[in-house]
């Protein structure tokens, strides 16, 4: 014989109040404001896309004689220059950003780590035009006097460092280094936060098995933060793709595809070309520039969507 006891009325009321959330006016207002903010982002993104499509459409519907060359021949070198400069920046910035993030999160004393993190974050607050002026006034003369002649003498067998080295420093390499400094705070900040979220038990287990600090980082921290590092690098790539003023100040653009990064002949970027050509353009030339902006919009949107997908799927070796 089993005896069942009914719960007291107070407990039943408490359970029912716990399972049925109370809808308050503040919750509804906050939920509405949050939904409105999210919808505003989508509306703004759609408005930008519609504007670029409508204003760039005359480029594709105009007669062939309106332009000196086809749109593909016009935008091709710009897409190449944009991706080339961003790739150089990413290759230079990512290893340095990961090293700085590891030092701040696992090597530096707490007070020093806080100070270093603060100064690294301040790099993102410097305007791009200041980076451009620094690049052309300080960095370019140093590179043209020391690094570029050495690369021409010792690495000319590679297509990236062939003759003739620039004497002014207005090269793709200079632009790539400046872009690397600009995207460094983004990659460092994201990598640092991901490394700090590594489960403490994973680190202690690795150290308990006799691993050194570097072996622990290699076995526990880096696999866990791999998706964050990749996402930060992709976000930095998106920033480098759309950079305008710094590249416009530094680069000596030319029409064509140029692999050499230490000469004065360089493929221009889309953003820099729009900034330099827009004041003197009129009519269909403006529409063609807007059409190139649509191409840049699509590239940047794709890069950020890829970074979002990588971060959401959790491409991590510590799972």
């Amino acid at each position: 014989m089993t005896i069942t006891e009914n719960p007291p009325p107070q407990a039943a009321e408490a359970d029912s109040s716990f399972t049925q959330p109370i809808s308050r006016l503040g919750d509804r207002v906050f939920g509405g404001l949050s939904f409105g903010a999210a919808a505003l982002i989508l509306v703004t993104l759609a408005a930008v896309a519609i504007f670029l499509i409508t204003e760039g459409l005359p480029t594709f519907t105009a007669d062939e004689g309106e332009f000196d060359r086809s749109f593909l021949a016009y935008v091709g070198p710009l897409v190449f220059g944009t991706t080339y400069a961003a790739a150089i920046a990413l290759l230079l910035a990512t290893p340095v950003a990961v090293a700085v993030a590891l030092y701040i999160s696992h090597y530096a004393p707490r007070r020093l780590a806080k100070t270093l993190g603060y100064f690294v974050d301040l790099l993102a607050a410097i305007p791009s035009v200041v980076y451009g002026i620094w690049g052309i006034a300080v960095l370019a003369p140093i590179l043209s006097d020391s690094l570029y002649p050495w690369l021409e003498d010792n690495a000319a067998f590679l297509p990236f460092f062939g003759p003739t080295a620039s004497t002014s420093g207005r090269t793709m390499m200079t632009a790539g280094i400046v872009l690397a400094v600009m995207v460094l705070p983004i990659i460092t900040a994201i990598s640092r936060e991901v490394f700090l979220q590594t489960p403490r038990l994973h680190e202690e287990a690795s150290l308990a098995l006799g691993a050194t600090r570097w072996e622990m980082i290699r076995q526990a921290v880096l696999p866990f933060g791999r998706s964050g590092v990749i996402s930060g690098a992709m976000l930095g790539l998106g920033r480098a793709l759309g950079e305008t003023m710094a590249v416009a100040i530094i680069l000596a653009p030319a029409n064509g595809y140029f692999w050499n990064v230490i000469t004065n002949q360089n493929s221009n970027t889309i953003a820099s070309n729009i900034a330099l050509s827009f004041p003197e353009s009129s009519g269909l030339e403006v529409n063609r520039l807007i059409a190139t902006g649509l191409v840049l919009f699509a590239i940047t949107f794709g890069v950020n969507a890829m970074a979002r997908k990588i971060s959401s799927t959790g491409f991590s070796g510590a799972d």
Side-chain angles (χ1 to χ4, degrees):
M1 179 177 180
T2 58
I3 299 175
T4 59
E5 295 181 358
N6 294 326
Q10 296 84 357
E13 293 176 0
D15 292 340
S16 62
S17 63
F18 180 77
T19 56
Q20 297 177 0
I22 299 175
S23 178
R24 296 185 177 90
L25 177 61
D27 294 334
R28 294 195 298 268
V29 172
F30 181 77
L33 291 176
S34 301
F35 176 78
L40 181 61
I41 294 176
L42 295 178
V43 170
T44 304
L45 187 64
V48 172
I50 292 173
F51 167 78
L52 292 175
I53 293 173
T54 54
E55 293 296 327
L57 188 61
T59 303
F60 307 101
T61 58
D63 297 334
E64 296 181 358
E66 296 289 343
F67 301 106
D68 55 347
R69 48 188 164 157
S70 65
F71 180 75
L72 183 61
Y74 177 78
V75 77
L78 299 178
V79 172
F80 172 79
T82 301
T83 54
Y84 197 26
I88 294 173
L90 200 64
L91 289 175
L92 295 176
T94 303
V96 177
V98 172
V100 172
L102 285 175
Y103 179 76
I104 293 175
S105 60
H106 287 81
Y107 284 94
R110 181 171 299 180
R111 182 175 299 179
L112 178 60
K114 185 177 180 180
T115 303
L116 286 177
Y118 176 74
F119 281 110
V120 170
D121 293 339
L122 277 181
L123 289 175
I126 300 176
S128 60
V129 65
V130 176
Y131 278 113
I133 295 174
W134 168 76
I136 196 62
V138 178
L139 184 62
I142 296 175
L143 296 177
S144 60
D145 291 340
S146 57
L147 180 61
Y148 293 164
W150 184 87
L151 289 174
E152 183 181 9
D153 294 337
N154 298 275
F157 59 91
L158 296 174
F160 310 105
F161 310 118
T164 305
S166 172
T167 57
S168 63
R170 300 174 66 91
T171 66
M172 184 67 73
M173 176 65 77
T174 306
I177 294 175
V178 173
L179 288 178
V181 177
M182 296 180 68
V183 303
L184 185 68
I186 300 175
I187 306 175
T188 302
I190 296 177
S191 301
R192 180 186 62 202
E193 294 302 320
V194 173
F195 293 155
L196 289 174
Q197 293 176 10
T198 305
R200 188 66 179 175
L201 289 177
H202 292 186
E203 298 181 0
E204 293 178 351
S206 180
L207 294 174
L209 292 174
T212 62
R213 181 177 297 185
W214 163 241
E215 290 173 340
M216 179 271 294
I217 290 174
R218 189 180 62 187
Q219 296 171 3
V221 178
L222 291 179
F224 181 84
R226 184 166 51 190
S227 61
V229 173
I230 295 175
S231 300
M234 298 297 286
L235 291 176
L237 177 62
R239 166 72 190 277
L241 287 172
E243 181 52 44
T244 304
M245 291 309 301
V247 178
I249 293 174
I250 296 172
L251 209 60
N255 181 29
Y257 300 87
F258 303 99
W259 289 100
N260 197 331
V261 297
I262 62 174
T263 64
N264 284 330
Q265 284 188 322
N266 308 281
S267 300
N268 203 0
T269 65
I270 295 177
S272 175
N273 180 69
I274 293 175
L276 296 175
S277 303
F278 197 86
E280 301 176 357
S281 300
S282 61
L284 288 175
E285 290 294 333
V286 176
N287 298 111
R288 184 162 67 169
L289 290 176
I290 296 177
T292 61
L294 177 62
V295 174
L296 179 61
F297 177 83
I299 295 174
T300 308
F301 184 82
V303 168
N304 285 275
M306 188 182 304
R308 180 66 178 175
K309 182 175 179 59
I310 293 174
S311 61
S312 61
T313 53
F315 181 65
S316 176
D319 295 339

